[in-house]
Amino acid sequence: MRIDIITVLPELLKSPFEASILKRAIEKGLVEVHFHNLRDYTDNSYNQVDDYQFGGGAGMVMMIEPIDKCISGLKAQRNYDEIIYMTPDGKTLNQKIANSLSLLENIIILCGHYKGVDQRVRDMFITKEISIGDYVLSGGELGAAVLCDTIIRLLPGVLNDETSALTDSFQDGLLAPPVYTRPAEYKGIKVPEVLLSGNFGKIEQWREEKAQERTEKLRPDLLQ
Ligand code: ADE
């Protein structure tokens, strides 16, 4: 998979890709992530990427020209399955969206800033608009990092048995069951007996029951 991220603040975005699972996925060649600084696509001397909004009002708007240059340049080199705009008024990210995006070959992610992008960018180029939740970030970069993390960990070969995505919360529509590790007893609190029993049928059944119980208690909306 190849991910091209268009941003005015690449430095805000790079560190999540330089550690742990995402770093390893890139090193193994399972994903390529390319950052494009929008200021490199300006031709004014101030490298200006935003301007006042027509009609007046507070807040700057990202201009179409540098974004067009960047996206059109990328599209001339390969086909993109989705061109995603990170925005608080997009569709809220969930595991189902992450699963479907993880099956794609090439995607572009555009990070919004200020009051957002000129509407013509959305009309002309964007195929999907994604929010990471009902709150406003200073820019789309942190949202893009979250989106990339959810996608990349699903790519075949990224996770091993110990970190398998199949048993994650949400993957089967339920929250994950409780987990325990050594010691088997800590300050008088014991690990549930069944987990020490070695009976894998019973353990699986217990995990399913707990996943169901936990979801009913904490996230009943997931069961509707
Ligand atoms: N940009 C600003 N707020 C955002 C959000 N909640 N999700 C994605 N991008 C954003």
Side-chain angles (χ1 to χ4, degrees), residues 187-205:
K187 295 189 175 172
I189 305 170
K190 290 185 178 152
V191 168
E193 202 62 47
V194 58
L195 296 178
L196 311 174
S197 69
N199 182 333
F200 293 106
K202 271 202 170 150
I203 291 172
E204 202 36 51
Q205 195 189 341

Side-chain angles (χ1 to χ4, degrees), residues 86-88 130-133 135-137 139-140 143:
M86 300 308 299
T87 174
I130 294 182
S131 161
I132 63 161
Y135 39 80
V136 179
L137 303 165

Side-chain angles (χ1 to χ4, degrees), residues 8-113:
V8 287
L9 283 172
E11 65 276 20
L12 185 60
L13 197 50
K14 285 189 173 164
S15 70
F17 299 91
E18 290 166 356
S20 187
I21 288 172
L22 300 195
K23 179 183 182 195
R24 214 166 344 117
I26 292 167
E27 283 172 356
K28 280 197 200 165
L30 300 170
V31 62
E32 274 181 45
V33 182
H34 299 268
F35 301 95
H36 306 277
N37 190 337
L38 253 195
R39 293 189 202 282
D40 296 339
Y41 296 84
T42 53
D43 48 19
N44 50 69
S45 52
Y46 300 105
N47 297 126
Q48 188 185 349
V49 292
D50 59 330
D51 210 337
Y52 297 100
Q53 50 178 316
F54 280 126
M60 307 293 273
V61 175
M62 287 169 75
M63 295 187 289
I64 190 167
E65 195 180 351
I67 297 174
D68 178 9
K69 276 193 185 144
C70 185
I71 293 181
S72 298
L74 288 169
K75 283 174 78 173
Q77 293 170 56
R78 66 193 65 76
N79 286 324
Y80 284 91
D81 304 297
E82 296 284 4
I83 302 180
I84 299 166
Y85 175 49
M86 300 308 299
T87 174
D89 56 14
K91 193 164 173 5
T92 309
L93 179 61
N94 57 31
Q95 193 60 42
K96 192 163 159 235
I97 296 177
N99 289 347
S100 71
L101 293 176
S102 76
L103 302 174
L104 303 179
E105 221 27 69
N106 301 311
I107 62 173
I108 292 175
I109 302 176
L110 172 64
C111 303
H113 256 270

